Amino acid sequence: MTICISAIAKDEQKKEVLVFSTDHMVSTSVGQFDHKIKKYKKLNNAITMLSGRTLLFDECIKGVKKEDTFSQIKERIFRNMKSIRNEAIRNEVYNRFNINSDFVTNMINQPIQNPIANNILETISGFNLETSIMLIGFDENNNAQISEINENGMIDFRDIQFHSIGSGTVQALNTLLFQRQHCNERLSSTIYNVFKAKKNAEVSEGVGKETEILILKSSGECNEISEDDIQTMVKIYDEELEYGKNHKDLNNINPLNKCEVLEDVN
């Protein structure tokens, strides 16, 4: 797995930009490790990020044309993922039993006669690529867009203004909620909020320690946050963790003198 995070922000000219972050985690049958492989790909004025089966990435985005809009790219990826799922079912289910989709259709319209038929239907209905694509970019009106795509459908997150997919998503989204992230934040604040979301997501298995943060503009220009700036945010993050629990005002708390002593109910 991996972690992919994105949030809408505004630059100094009040134009919308997209801040996004990924790790470098690669999962294989022999384990997980950080790798220099990029977890995102640029398509026209959009960025795609994948969580799940890395080797499906190129298949998911194939066929996109240079003139395609954000909506067209989204539709293309969705169709590709449905096609990949159907092909996988043919290879892993149909070919095993020497059947096809017509056979399955006929089987659905009749009473299930045996456990093998039931097992085939359950396998097909429950089949999942276990892969999601986060697509970020700009529509025809230069409005920043964030979408999640898998073989079951597409969801847009512009109204929420941020999103995450992959391992550690719960921690990442909770962080952005607690930080009260919104598109009117200073760009530098949004960059830190996305960084903090990535750091908090690292408690989850499948999230790598290496962090990449970039800014996508409506022109298609993509700027990477330097390693020096990332180290500055590491320092801020570490100081923030220590600040509350070491705050001097904690010395004024004396709970043993102020709390009511509970009596035994017996």
Side-chain angles (χ1 to χ4, degrees):
M1 294 292 283
T2 190
I3 186 74
C4 306
I5 307 167
S6 183
I8 300 172
K10 290 183 180 176
D11 62 15
E12 293 76 9
Q13 288 75 42
K14 303 300 180 182
K15 293 182 178 179
E16 289 188 343
V17 297
L18 284 151
V19 179
F20 66 98
S21 179
T22 67
D23 63 1
H24 284 169
M25 177 65 75
V26 173
S27 300
T28 70
S29 58
V30 296
Q32 299 175 330
F33 56 93
D34 279 317
H35 194 280
K36 288 302 181 183
I37 186 173
K38 297 289 185 183
K39 304 305 288 287
Y40 62 89
K41 295 179 185 288
K42 192 169 184 295
L43 293 174
N44 302 347
N45 290 349
I47 295 290
T48 55
M49 293 170 274
L50 180 142
S51 169
R53 298 165 62 183
T54 305
L55 296 180
L56 293 180
F57 209 161
D58 287 339
E59 284 294 306
C60 289
I61 63 175
K62 72 177 182 180
V64 174
K65 302 175 183 177
K66 291 187 177 298
E67 65 271 16
D68 283 350
T69 64
F70 182 88
S71 295
Q72 290 169 330
I73 294 173
K74 183 170 63 173
E75 289 286 346
R76 167 58 66 183
I77 292 173
F78 178 47
R79 291 197 300 270
N80 285 344
M81 296 190 78
K82 287 198 299 182
S83 177
I84 293 169
R85 179 183 187 275
N86 291 338
E87 180 65 22
I89 290 174
R90 279 194 294 271
N91 292 334
E92 298 179 28
V93 182
Y94 293 172
N95 291 349
R96 184 190 306 173
F97 295 98
N98 194 27
I99 60 177
N100 56 29
S101 58
D102 292 336
F103 180 90
V104 174
T105 300
N106 292 331
M107 188 166 57
I108 292 174
N109 294 325
Q110 300 174 10
I112 303 301
Q113 299 292 331
N114 58 72
I116 295 178
N118 187 61
N119 182 53
I120 290 173
L121 293 178
E122 287 183 350
T123 301
I124 294 172
S125 63
F127 193 91
N128 195 315
L129 293 178
E130 298 181 343
T131 297
S132 293
I133 294 280
M134 183 189 288
L135 177 68
I136 65 172
F138 298 84
D139 61 20
E140 295 84 345
N141 298 315
N142 280 338
N143 293 320
Q145 301 288 344
I146 303 173
S147 299
E148 179 180 353
I149 312 162
N150 57 42
E151 73 265 38
N152 297 315
M154 305 173 286
I155 306 176
D156 297 326
F157 292 89
R158 175 173 171 79
D159 289 344
I160 299 176
Q161 302 175 1
F162 57 80
H163 189 48
S164 173
I165 62 173
S167 302
T169 284
V170 171
Q171 290 82 1
L173 292 179
N174 280 341
T175 300
L176 293 169
L177 286 169
F178 292 149
Q179 294 292 110
R180 298 180 181 179
Q181 171 60 37
H182 59 84
C183 65
N184 291 320
E185 287 278 10
R186 291 185 306 164
L187 178 56
S188 56
S189 297
T190 297
I191 293 170
Y192 178 71
N193 288 345
V194 169
F195 169 82
K196 185 176 180 180
K198 161 59 175 60
K199 290 295 291 181
N200 288 348
E202 290 175 9
V203 301
S204 295
E205 183 179 359
V207 179
K209 301 297 183 183
E210 294 190 17
T211 301
E212 209 166 0
I213 304 177
L214 300 96
I215 302 170
L216 177 66
K217 299 179 180 180
S218 59
S219 64
E221 180 183 350
C222 207
N223 302 109
E224 184 173 357
I225 304 301
S226 69
E227 183 59 33
D228 287 343
D229 287 341
I230 288 179
Q231 290 306 313
T232 296
M233 289 188 285
V234 169
K235 180 175 179 291
I236 295 170
Y237 180 82
D238 291 340
E239 290 176 352
E240 186 180 354
L241 289 178
E242 296 295 323
Y243 178 77
K245 65 183 181 181
N246 293 320
H247 197 283
K248 60 182 179 61
D249 288 348
L250 290 177
N251 297 325
N252 299 328
I253 298 176
N254 194 348
L256 295 180
N257 289 338
K258 297 179 181 179
C259 288
E260 179 182 351
V261 177
L262 297 179
E263 295 183 359
D264 197 319
V265 295
N266 296 324

